[in-house]
Amino acid sequence: MSNECLYREHNKHHSSQHRSVNLENVAITVAMGDGIGPEITQATLKVLSAAKARITTECIDIGEQLYLAGHSSGIRQDAWQSLRRTKVFLKGPITTPSGSGYKSLNVTIRKTLGLYANVRPCISYSPYVHTLHPAMDMVIIRENEEDLYAGIEHRQTDEVYQCLKLITRPGCEKIIRYAFEYARTHGRKKVTCMVKDNIMKMTDGLFYKVFQEIGAEYPDISQDRYIIDIGSARLATRPELFDVIVTTNLYGDIISDVAAELSGSIGLAGSANIGEHVAMFEAIHGSAPDIAGQNVANPSGLILAAVMMLVHIGQADIAEKIHNAWLKTIEDGIHTKDLKSEHSKVLVTTEQFAEAVIARLGTTPQRFATVSYQHSAQPKKPVSVTYQPQPEAEKILVGVDVFLHQHRHSADELAQRLKPLETAELELQMITNRGVKVWPDGFPETFCTDHWRCRFMLRPGLTQLTYSDIIRLLSQISGDNLDVIKTENLCSFNGELGFTLGQGQ
């Protein structure tokens, strides 16, 4: 299979009575990808060409070969220029070489281009694709830029490593408003928020708080909330309970793969990554190098991602033509070998599957519901998300958490060493280990590592600290040969604590 990016252009003479349809040719950037990428991407381009999609293509090289050629991010500057110029990216799956030193290209593209919303429809195609949940039809909308995927990690002691979970109000507002606008635009009836705010009260708590605030602007859409653990369990056993799910980056990454597998095959799932300026469309599966070059891969995930792309660029007429032809192909029992079942009539190759879809363009399925996108066609900016900066809060410094690397102390011994180092402004309030309070009144059964958080708070009767007060405390501590790993300043914002009290408090 050639890696060449082939697409026969179609001009804008095709007519339509729908004002939402874009009659102009739209430039898109295409990456063939690695492994099975060139095969399924070329199959997808053939379907787009046969359906007379009004696009022109620019092909870029990304992925494994560029990694191995010394580009640590897997992408060159000229590729970035194409993406920023066309603002629409159809991407085949890529391979990240094993070993350290190679950055995730997907994460790099999403964060560099501000693709804040990952959209994954998860639909069952029963009985033609086996599933335990034939009524499943949901969309998972995942925040795409922050959370633990900020990738800020540190080794702090011999025994302890840290990964920072970053949640921002702008990030929450963008993804949650996108979810509600998506639901309204696509005729969805309910949006569910999934969080773990019973434990992460500030980060996940902010996400749910913003969900409530923005949800109040959409009284026409039903709303509910699940803690992520029970929500995932319900997703696995009763997915028909859900319509649109909105959640943070890590949770969304996990449950969207679970949902795709529950639908019957992860190979059928496409996804969109939407930003304010650029959008990327891809299959959710990997590059499957074990079957590369064999012409057996199922191109459905990328074909359905291309359908999402067409809706995004305002070509709803072409999107529904391809989607309905794809449904008719599945319905007619024309399957790649990964979908083999008692409903399969003919097992076909990658190329033959694309040809079968092409042969059915202009037809509609008989058992599946006919797809219509005419009333959900979106412009290149599908959702208008504007962030209103919060008024500057009154921020008051009230304490400091000092993190120490210490091997040879119990909590009581460490406290005895720290108490004489207190200053006129700051006194030791507590010591925790892995977030559990171990002084005062700790339990000897609590397992402790070499990583201690020592909380110093403003003494009673004082109202505010200065950074000089904290520097003076740190000078005292370091002068006693204690190993300070890092500090976190503790502040109140408009009188509300900007930190948690910790377990046991």
Side-chain angles (χ1 to χ4, degrees), residues 239-425:
E240 65 277 2
L241 292 175
F242 302 103
D243 195 358
V244 173
I245 296 173
V246 63
T247 189
T248 56
N249 205 337
L250 178 62
Y251 306 151
D253 195 4
I254 295 169
I255 67 171
S256 56
D257 276 6
V258 171
E261 187 69 15
L262 287 172
S263 72
S265 173
I266 202 168
L268 299 182
S271 74
N273 298 272
I274 306 295
E276 294 181 40
H277 306 288
V278 182
M280 177 173 71
F281 303 86
E282 59 186 342
I284 74 171
H285 58 71
S287 60
D290 55 320
I291 60 169
Q294 300 177 32
N295 196 24
V296 297
N298 188 343
S300 294
L302 195 58
I303 290 173
L304 294 178
V307 167
M308 299 173 74
M309 177 191 74
L310 291 168
V311 175
H312 174 77
I313 64 176
Q315 297 186 20
D317 55 331
I318 308 300
E320 66 183 40
K321 182 191 297 185
I322 293 174
H323 201 163
N324 284 318
W326 181 86
L327 289 169
K328 188 69 166 65
T329 303
I330 297 296
E331 199 176 72
D332 287 347
I334 312 299
H335 298 163
T336 48
K337 70 175 186 177
D338 59 306
L339 299 182
K340 182 179 179 181
S341 72
E342 66 274 17
H343 295 284
S344 301
K345 295 180 181 177
V346 182
L347 294 181
V348 295
T349 66
T350 307
E351 291 181 351
Q352 290 170 338
F353 186 86
E355 291 165 359
V357 173
I358 290 168
R360 288 162 177 78
L361 291 170
T363 67
T364 56
Q366 301 303 305
R367 181 158 181 174
F368 293 130
T370 300
V371 172
S372 174
Y373 288 111
Q374 297 298 342
H375 300 294
S376 63
Q378 303 175 33
K380 287 186 180 180
K381 289 186 180 180
V383 175
S384 177
V385 178
T386 56
Y387 170 63
Q388 298 296 327
Q390 298 296 298
E392 187 172 346
E394 182 188 19
K395 180 180 176 182
I396 297 177
L397 184 62
V398 296
V400 63
D401 281 341
V402 180
F403 291 79
L404 299 178
H405 178 188
Q406 293 294 318
H407 276 292
R408 295 180 299 277
H409 289 99
S410 69
D412 288 338
E413 290 170 337
L414 184 57
Q416 289 173 12
R417 189 168 174 183
L418 288 171
K419 288 292 288 181
L421 305 178
E422 295 176 337
T423 67
E425 299 82 18

Side-chain angles (χ1 to χ4, degrees), residues 16-140:
S16 173
Q17 61 183 346
H18 300 283
R19 289 187 300 169
S20 61
V21 171
N22 183 0
L23 298 180
E24 299 292 332
N25 273 7
V26 175
I28 70 168
T29 299
V30 177
M32 305 303 286
D34 303 314
I36 62 172
E39 299 162 73
I40 65 171
T41 306
Q42 198 57 62
T44 300
L45 290 174
K46 287 180 179 179
V47 172
L48 288 168
S49 178
K52 297 181 170 54
R54 297 177 291 280
I55 60 175
T56 58
T57 58
E58 298 182 9
C59 204
I60 62 172
D61 293 322
I62 61 172
E64 187 174 30
Q65 292 305 311
L66 288 180
Y67 282 120
L68 298 177
H71 298 274
S72 63
S73 62
I75 185 170
R76 289 194 306 255
Q77 188 61 36
D78 59 336
W80 285 120
Q81 292 169 357
S82 176
L83 293 173
R84 296 180 68 197
R85 180 170 54 252
T86 69
K87 306 187 185 305
V88 182
F89 187 21
L90 182 64
K91 184 181 79 66
I94 64 158
T95 299
T96 302
S98 59
S100 61
Y102 300 108
K103 301 176 183 177
S104 167
L105 179 57
N106 270 354
V107 173
T108 297
I109 291 173
R110 290 168 182 168
K111 296 183 73 170
T112 301
L113 298 178
L115 309 183
Y116 64 87
N118 180 258
V119 183
R120 291 191 180 183
C122 299
I123 303 169
S124 294
Y125 299 101
S126 180
Y128 305 97
V129 178
H130 176 70
T131 175
L132 298 176
H133 306 287
M136 180 176 175
D137 182 358
M138 73 173 72
V139 178
I140 296 174

Side-chain angles (χ1 to χ4, degrees), residues 153-173:
E153 297 183 282
H154 307 92
R155 180 175 180 176
Q156 297 190 319
T157 71
D158 296 325
E159 300 174 345
V160 175
Y161 296 72
Q162 169 186 272
C163 181
L164 294 181
K165 179 184 175 93
L166 299 178
I167 301 292
T168 69
R169 176 170 277 275
C172 295
E173 289 188 7

Side-chain angles (χ1 to χ4, degrees), residues 116 143 145-147 166-177 202-203 205-214 217 385-391 496:
Y116 64 87
E143 197 286 320
E145 295 182 286
E146 46 190 43
D147 192 11
L166 299 178
I167 301 292
T168 69
R169 176 170 277 275
C172 295
E173 289 188 7
K174 287 195 296 184
I175 193 64
I176 290 167
R177 189 171 298 281
M202 299 198 71
T203 50
L206 174 64
F207 194 88
Y208 181 52
K209 178 181 179 182
V210 174
F211 178 83
Q212 292 175 297
E213 292 172 359
I214 291 179
E217 301 176 27
V385 178
T386 56
Y387 170 63
Q388 298 296 327
Q390 298 296 298
E496 181 179 341

